[in-house]
Amino acid sequence: MAWSRMPHSNNLKQRDKQSLKGIFFNAVHAPIGAHASFTLGARGRSGGLGLELGEPSLENIIIGLESRDRRCVEALPFMEPEQDDALKFDHEGVTFKWTPIEFFKDRAIRRVYHPGSDQWTAGDLCFTIHSQIAPAPDPLQSTDQEQKLAYCPAVIATIRVDNRQSDQPRRAIFGFRNERDPDNMRAIAEEGLVGVAAGQSRGFFCRHPGAVPARGFTFDWILSQTQPENLRQELGRNGALLLHVPAGKVETFTVAVCFYRGGQVTTGLATSYWYARYFSGLEAVACYAIAHAGSIKARSGEVHKLITQAGLNPAQEFQMIHAVQTYYASTQLLDCHGQPLWVVNEGEYRMMNTLDLTIDQAFYELKLNPWTVGNVLDFFASRYQYSDRLDTPAKPAGAAGGIAFTHDMGCRNHFSRPGYSTYERGGLTACFSYMSYEQLVNWTLCAVLYLHESGDEKWMETKIPVMKMSLTSLMRRDHPKSNERNGVMGFNGARTLGGREITTYDSLDASLGQACGNLYLAVKTWAAYLALRDVFLSYGFKAEATKADRQAVLAAASVVSSLKPDGSLPAIIGEDIPARIIPAIEGLVFPYVLGQYDELDEKGRFRAFIGALKSHLSAILKPGICLYPDGGWKLSSSRDNSWLSKIYLCQFVAREILDIRSGTVGPASDDAHMAWLLNDKNLSMAWSDQMRSGIAVGSRCYPRGVTSILWLRESRK
Amino acid sequence: MAWSRMPHSNNLKQRDKQSLKGIFFNAVHAPIGAHASFTLGARGRSGGLGLELGEPSLENIIIGLESRDRRCVEALPFMEPEQDDALKFDHEGVTFKWTPIEFFKDRAIRRVYHPGSDQWTAGDLCFTIHSQIAPAPDPLQSTDQEQKLAYCPAVIATIRVDNRQSDQPRRAIFGFRNERDPDNMRAIAEEGLVGVAAGQSRGFFCRHPGAVPARGFTFDWILSQTQPENLRQELGRNGALLLHVPAGKVETFTVAVCFYRGGQVTTGLATSYWYARYFSGLEAVACYAIAHAGSIKARSGEVHKLITQAGLNPAQEFQMIHAVQTYYASTQLLDCHGQPLWVVNEGEYRMMNTLDLTIDQAFYELKLNPWTVGNVLDFFASRYQYSDRLDTPAKPAGAAGGIAFTHDMGCRNHFSRPGYSTYERGGLTACFSYMSYEQLVNWTLCAVLYLHESGDEKWMETKIPVMKMSLTSLMRRDHPKSNERNGVMGFNGARTLGGREITTYDSLDASLGQACGNLYLAVKTWAAYLALRDVFLSYGFKAEATKADRQAVLAAASVVSSLKPDGSLPAIIGEDIPARIIPAIEGLVFPYVLGQYDELDEKGRFRAFIGALKSHLSAILKPGICLYPDGGWKLSSSRDNSWLSKIYLCQFVAREILDIRSGTVGPASDDAHMAWLLNDKNLSMAWSDQMRSGIAVGSRCYPRGVTSILWLRESRK
């Protein structure tokens, strides 16, 4: 079942008014690795062609059709009234009467949103956007043809006009207003290719005898021109394809929505887009995309099947589609001196390959294209690995430390210098402080996940030294003295300059923000030690395996020892704070994915640990603690601040690993989370992560929602 | 005398309040041919580093110095309170107390605005911007060194801090916030070069041991960092140089304000920047500009002398400086398959080489760099010349026509297709209609001006065929039948598609907007015929010379015959409309500049014509007709719509050619026009052209004000 509905349907048991609202949300349609998106769906000037933005481009989009009586053009509601820039030239100008543009009635509009396609039907018009929700081929293991298709920086729009009920020819219109590019909007009509494009970077292209490119100050001006020659004048920011449909006919127009940036793209480290080796410019992209529109559309078939046949409930399915679609806008495949470099930008923040996102997105990427995970890990290891000492109570940098990894590799197309992230600073105890320990855990776990899913044993062989250094570093960061270790992070890195390390939950209070003693991190660390152990065993390093396993046992014991009489675990081990957190259970996902089922066995050697986490979740997943009134999950009891991607992950752990499937874990919470995404205030940013009482306050238009892919692993009991 | 004053000085006999306002206007500091500018001077977020914009970039600029007590940083008032983007990351964040940024008191600020330099003094801080107001060397006739210097896309800022009165080290700060570039603001510290830059396109660079680059969310955040390491974190849009001055010392920091765009710059016809052959990127520009800062500063010496020693009144001098400075932001030297291509963009409209601007700017360009005029004329002749038929009352396209030239060559870095402008459309009778006749006159006059000023006889030899076609076309556009010609345009080109041609005054009523029978165009045509005659005589084409001269005589007679009893001439010859226009006299400038003094002789063969124009001007230069209440000139009696560039030109004609030097022609009008430019509403757009009652309503940030250079030709009686 696809997520689809009429605005006035009862799919989700919503009343008419609410469901009317329900179809007008932005969806992101992105090529793979082009850091670009055609975003559409929220009312008004909310979408557009975004190139290297962390948000929609906020440009008017017109998708319309002349009414049967040709009195007006009826359009989908994706534009706002336009400022007539002609007035900047002509202050004495008379006001003309242009062709009116009216919106289709809401009740006449139907939307069907699938993985890889988004279809709008209204009257005699059917408009569909197709993107590739599909594997990104490994450039070192695939043909040029495969890469050219997968990395072509375009999505396909098809416009079908059914003019059989009319005895008049009619025109459809598909255009955009260039608000972003200082270069001119231009009209292209060359060798059968027609198009409109903002400079060299963004455009709509078509090959159809009925398509004519048009330029002007406003769309109504364009529609009102009686002299065809005047459509080629080139003032104004608007460009559109006019699509002529004869009387009594059905016509389908295939339009390539194209993006391009040539030359050097990044600073700090100079790279270009990988696609630039296949395409010389926007027109080359267009020619290829139109010619291969069928293949582009077909590429999403597999994921489409995967998601829609998984038996998910409608709210789950919607969220998974929405998250996956949004993810691709952040992807960027770069050419670094001839080598591919995979980057996932961090949604609205646009930090590059943020490692605490990499690990969560790995569940998705390892399913579709494991090489991207290895690629990112390699680049972290070679450029963004560092070593620092540890602060002790007695002395700053008073103890030996070890390796760690940076939070990210850069921001907004700028690679930060080797060994340093864009984000981290010294002297802080909260947001923007260092995440050395968390990122060390993340890199380590991610590396083992990659090994497990890809089977790339040669790769791991080259990484064994790093794995060993990781173990050493984790243990020292637990405690410099071996006999005082408890398996949990105890010491901050010296780079904090007297501050304190934080976790990925950077804007939270100590419950999830503080790294030292953190329960979430403790369980993740437990998983990291187990993962390390298995790698060391496989490669014949018994002593290291033993150490790692012992650390896992210590970590589990520390967690168990902090259990409270009410069955819950405090957020900080060893500190008696009242905060309780859902992500305590997050780390359990790793042994599951790595197939270490014994370690998760409720009757196995970690039975007390697993039991404690299970009793913890049951104790806190209650209104007033870690549930919002609407049934949505609240990650920390002490703050109104929740991340959907982490909720998805923890839902999976709760249901599949801890076998908790009560109402609060199932469809009721899914409905609540879907309602968050469809809150009026969140509609323009597509899938967003960080929510306060259901309102996206950060991490908007974010890639991390693909953690939902874990749901496909669930046995549906 | 330079234009300079204390805010509270009485230079212009203004009261304190007015003159306080007087120094805070935007001035444009632009490299030559880079279509870029560092704009500064109006209060608030009004200036910034504009690359390929027709307006200021509207970015916060900080120029400040720690107060002697180091309690705060005192800054020039070129920024607005900043949004702290850290809040997008950190919703739980505490509010920190940053170093306060306060503005210097108005009365403590002094500004001196010279051609090529703009100096601000406040307290112990002295900030100066230097740009090259100097000739653009002919790429085909100059050395690489000359070109590298002249076309280096940078201006120089010097920051002098006098810390002799303080026993504490102090920091100055110079930075900007990147609001325009999707790429990150970055900090550079390499081999002695330090800088901050928005992506690959815009930045501040310095080589000084006391300079440190800093990045952050806000300037007060940057100023408050106690950990030097944290200045290198790379989130946020702000970048600044922190300039350390020891106690008791004076330090001067030389900062290169650099611009760069590599690769293909234009579409329609692919070109790159000429400077790209000398500079590989922003840092290369910076290294060169810093090393050659002295030469860059020195380059304005000649024009500086020219303007400041000409005996102009202060209002004239201010306007000339302001116009010349603004002009350069519109200039763009492109590399078209290895050949230089000079483009002047049209201010806020950014149309490229608008021909009705080219002719007016020629007075300036021919003085400094005549080759640019020849270059533009060549490109018009080869790509933007066309031929059309003429509409007759009986039949559209009913008569043979001839050649004409397009209004422009493109817009916003897009070259329009050959033979077509960006601007012109058919079926219109006002703004956006064709200007075929006017542009034919303009090209022809411009070509003869170029010959006269450059002495490039070989060039003209190659253009003789065009000159002959021009004569034929002008005569046919007068009247298809030779015996019905009156020297004045009578027929519209067929490209108007039933509309009517217009003039450069496109947004005016018939008095100046309509081309047929237009008095302004008639006198300009008279000048064109005289110019053609002399060329034909020089090159031995007597028959053509005779025809041209006869047409001039006819045109003059037509003008004279329309003289009214009150001594004025109606705006449209042969139509009894009440409108009266100042630009009737505009065309007289050409025989003057071409040295055809006999034709201007009040006792010569055109005495009736010259007399009529003189009596006309005297009759209309009166309040209620063509004077605003403030003494400013109103180009047409029938509309509140006036263009300063044309006023400057007509002032010159009135004083120098018609010998009318009454109060309304002299300093009183100059003061009024200067007051227009300094009206609160006009301050941000620097020099603007089109005014309604002194408010710039169009043609803002415009290059055409360089017509004022004609004033330097005046004998000051």
Side-chain angles (χ1 to χ4, degrees), chain B residues 454-502:
Chain B
S454 71
D456 191 349
E457 292 176 9
K458 283 203 170 161
W459 181 88
M460 183 53 90
E461 220 169 286
T462 68
K463 291 296 180 291
I464 288 294
V466 188
M467 303 305 275
K468 287 184 179 174
M469 287 189 288
S470 166
L471 177 63
T472 303
S473 186
L474 284 172
M475 290 170 70
R476 286 186 184 158
R477 286 165 198 273
D478 172 349
H479 201 290
K481 293 185 187 159
S482 59
N483 58 352
E484 296 198 30
R485 289 179 187 143
N486 66 353
V488 176
M489 178 186 168
F491 286 73
N492 290 294
R495 276 204 185 179
T496 58
L497 299 175
R500 280 201 309 263
E501 287 183 29
I502 59 171

Side-chain angles (χ1 to χ4, degrees), chain B residues 349-412:
Chain B
Y349 307 133
R350 293 186 61 208
M351 281 180 280
M352 299 154 80
N353 284 335
T354 301
L355 186 44
D356 47 291
L357 270 73
T358 303
I359 188 169
D360 291 338
Q361 290 152 194
F363 301 114
Y364 183 75
E365 292 184 347
L366 289 172
K367 190 167 188 73
L368 267 69
N369 29 254
W371 75 270
T372 62
V373 178
N375 183 279
V376 170
L377 291 171
D378 276 342
F379 204 57
F380 266 111
S382 67
R383 187 175 161 109
Y384 293 103
Q385 176 185 319
Y386 62 92
S387 187
D388 70 344
R389 295 181 60 82
L390 306 176
D391 287 345
T392 64
K395 198 178 162 194
I403 66 161
F405 295 87
T406 59
H407 168 271
D408 59 74
M409 296 180 175
C411 185
R412 292 162 56 98

Side-chain angles (χ1 to χ4, degrees), chain B residues 16 61 140 161 313 318 320 349 450 464 483 535 604 613 642 645:
Chain B
D16 258 28
I61 299 286
L140 307 180
V161 177
N313 66 51
F318 166 76
M320 194 182 295
Y349 307 133
Y450 170 68
I464 288 294
N483 58 352
V535 170
L613 288 169
S642 219
S645 64

Side-chain angles (χ1 to χ4, degrees), chain A residues 76-251:
Chain A
L76 294 169
F78 306 138
M79 53 181 288
E80 282 176 359
E82 298 189 279
Q83 180 196 329
D84 187 351
D85 290 336
L87 298 175
K88 288 191 185 173
F89 296 76
D90 185 10
H91 315 280
E92 308 270 337
V94 286
T95 306
F96 294 96
K97 202 173 170 337
W98 304 131
T99 305
I101 298 172
E102 297 176 4
F103 292 143
F104 285 108
K105 296 274 184 296
D106 279 355
R107 65 174 174 276
I109 304 174
R110 190 170 183 280
R111 180 179 192 176
V112 182
Y113 182 31
H114 280 170
S117 77
D118 195 1
Q119 186 168 83
W120 299 83
T121 314
D124 296 330
L125 179 73
C126 178
F127 177 84
T128 315
I129 310 175
H130 303 271
S131 60
Q132 298 188 52
I133 305 297
D138 182 350
L140 307 179
Q141 306 280 343
S142 56
T143 65
D144 282 343
Q145 276 135 305
E146 287 166 331
Q147 292 177 53
K148 199 169 176 182
L149 176 63
Y151 298 123
C152 175
V155 300
I156 299 294
T158 57
I159 297 144
R160 182 178 181 278
V161 177
D162 183 346
N163 201 26
R164 285 175 299 185
Q165 302 304 313
S166 168
D167 58 0
Q168 295 284 330
R170 280 198 285 168
R171 294 177 306 167
I173 178 169
F174 179 38
F176 73 108
R177 180 174 167 87
N178 171 23
E179 301 276 6
R180 292 274 176 177
D181 201 314
D183 290 342
N184 210 33
M185 178 67 85
R186 60 199 171 94
I188 294 100
E190 283 164 9
E191 298 170 10
L193 181 72
V194 300
V196 288
Q200 302 171 52
S201 69
R202 306 173 296 138
F204 293 167
F205 293 88
C206 185
R207 275 190 197 282
H208 190 293
V212 173
R215 291 271 294 100
F217 288 111
T218 59
F219 292 123
D220 52 9
W221 184 91
I222 286 173
L223 287 163
S224 310
Q225 293 309 302
T226 50
Q227 303 284 2
E229 185 56 48
N230 285 354
L231 294 174
R232 302 198 63 174
Q233 72 82 32
E234 304 192 275
L235 290 180
R237 291 175 176 267
N238 292 44
L241 298 171
L242 294 176
L243 308 169
H244 295 261
V245 183
K249 299 281 183 193
V250 179
E251 290 277 6

Side-chain angles (χ1 to χ4, degrees), chain A residues 323-331 342 344 361 364-365 702-703 706:
Chain A
V324 167
Q325 297 272 146
T326 305
Y327 160 85
Y328 282 100
S330 282
T331 63
W342 180 257
V344 180
Q361 289 151 194
Y364 183 75
E365 293 183 347
Y702 216 59
V706 293

